[in-house]
Amino acid sequence: MEGGGLDALRAAFDEYDEDGNGVITAEELRRALRRLNLDGMDLTAEQCAEIVAAVDSDGDGVISFDEFKAMMSKQA
């Protein structure tokens, strides 16, 4: 991924990373998805924790930008 695509991905990541600490927590993910209101989907905290765990390749309990980038490249 290069140039504008990486910038767009960083902007999307920053939308989820509410406190700007460089990682997305399960609660930040939950709030972001709620803001987006995807098809009325209202995930529980447990479901968001499961999503984070599935993407969290280093096991630190949060989603880093590199993990987010890897997740998004699999979706494409």
Side-chain angles (χ1 to χ4, degrees), residues 2-72:
E2 53 190 72
L6 194 56
D7 291 343
L9 199 57
R10 173 55 78 175
F13 179 85
D14 290 345
E15 284 294 314
Y16 289 88
D17 179 20
E18 294 175 343
D19 60 8
N21 68 348
V23 296
I24 300 169
T25 65
E27 186 56 35
E28 285 175 325
L29 176 64
R30 185 173 182 226
R31 286 193 298 261
L33 292 174
R34 190 174 279 166
R35 278 194 312 271
L36 293 171
N37 195 23
L38 298 175
D39 297 326
M41 182 171 46
D42 189 16
L43 296 175
T44 66
E46 293 79 19
Q47 289 169 314
C48 289
E50 289 171 11
I51 292 168
V52 169
V55 176
D56 178 24
S57 60
D58 63 7
D60 63 357
V62 293
I63 301 173
S64 68
F65 180 67
D66 285 338
E67 291 164 338
F68 183 79
K69 186 169 58 171
M71 175 189 70
M72 297 308 285

